[in-house]
Amino acid sequence: MNGSNAPADVPAHHGALLPLLGADQEVIDFFAGVADLDATNPADQELEDGVRLASGARLEQFARAGSGDAFCFVGEGGEERPVLYVGLDGEAGPLALGLPELVRLCLVAPWWRDAPGRTADELRAVADEYREDIPDLDRRRDRAARALGLDPAGLPSEAAALARLVELSRGPVAAACLVVGYEGDPLDPLFAGTRVINL
């Protein structure tokens, strides 16, 4: 089902974003091609052996980055579950409380991986570089947002989305979502020492 004809200010599909991330071409073009989140085959995603949550809660991969890093849901339920990023280099951390929040982060700051520890000027340079590499970035973002039933004008600012990322990396969600590797050792925090960046 294609949500591109849904009204721009009404969320489409009542919480069923994941199928669109892997089926709607404009959405795939942005998320897989720009934000490096490929959800085209969620059933085929599988975490590296032994990677699990210290709490024993379920860790379900639903998408991957080009590097092979994993986007995972935590616990039982639907798209409202917390989302963790698990890197092949041994780091992990929360990105969002629910898929809708992750979608908004990726739409407004697809360069979020480069945000930790950077000054506002450095982050602007990262964003400018993205736009130089992808001149139609804003148009692609807006088309993907509308295909998901989101009004581009209602998306959070880059600063707000990144501040939320920092908040999650420091708060109780991060503590509750500790990921351990196959030897039982905790993975490194995804955003250790991250500070809030004001753009």
Side-chain angles (χ1 to χ4, degrees):
M1 183 173 183
N2 187 316
S4 59
N5 295 323
D9 57 348
V10 178
H13 311 288
H14 308 291
L17 288 173
L18 189 55
L20 282 180
L21 291 179
D24 185 288
Q25 194 57 54
E26 288 181 340
V27 175
I28 292 169
D29 288 347
F30 184 87
F31 280 84
V34 176
D36 197 20
L37 186 159
D38 184 351
T40 52
N41 293 299
D44 295 340
Q45 307 296 342
E46 190 172 329
L47 281 170
E48 187 177 332
D49 286 343
V51 173
R52 64 194 187 286
L53 285 171
S55 66
R58 182 180 182 201
L59 192 58
E60 176 191 350
Q61 183 174 351
F62 65 87
R64 64 176 174 78
S67 62
D69 294 352
F71 293 86
C72 304
F73 286 125
V74 174
E76 302 296 331
E79 296 180 359
E80 78 287 350
R81 292 176 285 172
V83 176
L84 288 183
Y85 189 82
V86 180
L88 293 179
D89 292 331
E91 73 283 339
L95 297 181
L97 292 182
L99 189 58
E101 188 172 68
L102 176 67
V103 161
R104 286 171 172 82
L105 169 66
C106 290
L107 285 168
V108 301
W111 49 84
W112 61 264
R113 290 171 194 80
D114 297 322
R118 293 184 186 267
T119 66
D121 286 342
E122 289 169 340
L123 197 54
R124 280 191 201 95
V126 170
D128 289 346
E129 190 174 308
Y130 245 76
R131 287 194 164 86
E132 286 174 14
D133 291 343
I134 309 170
D136 62 345
L137 176 65
D138 291 343
R139 182 187 64 80
R140 291 172 68 173
R141 177 202 61 215
D142 291 353
R143 290 172 71 94
R146 289 190 182 98
L148 293 169
L150 300 171
D151 180 357
L155 293 173
S157 68
E158 293 172 18
L162 294 172
R164 174 66 170 157
L165 197 56
V166 171
E167 177 188 344
L168 289 173
S169 72
R170 293 178 171 170
V173 174
C177 296
L178 182 66
V179 179
V180 296
Y182 67 93
E183 293 182 347
D185 296 324
L187 299 188
D188 293 332
L190 189 58
F191 299 131
T194 298
R195 65 183 183 274
V196 176
I197 301 168
N198 295 312
L199 294 179

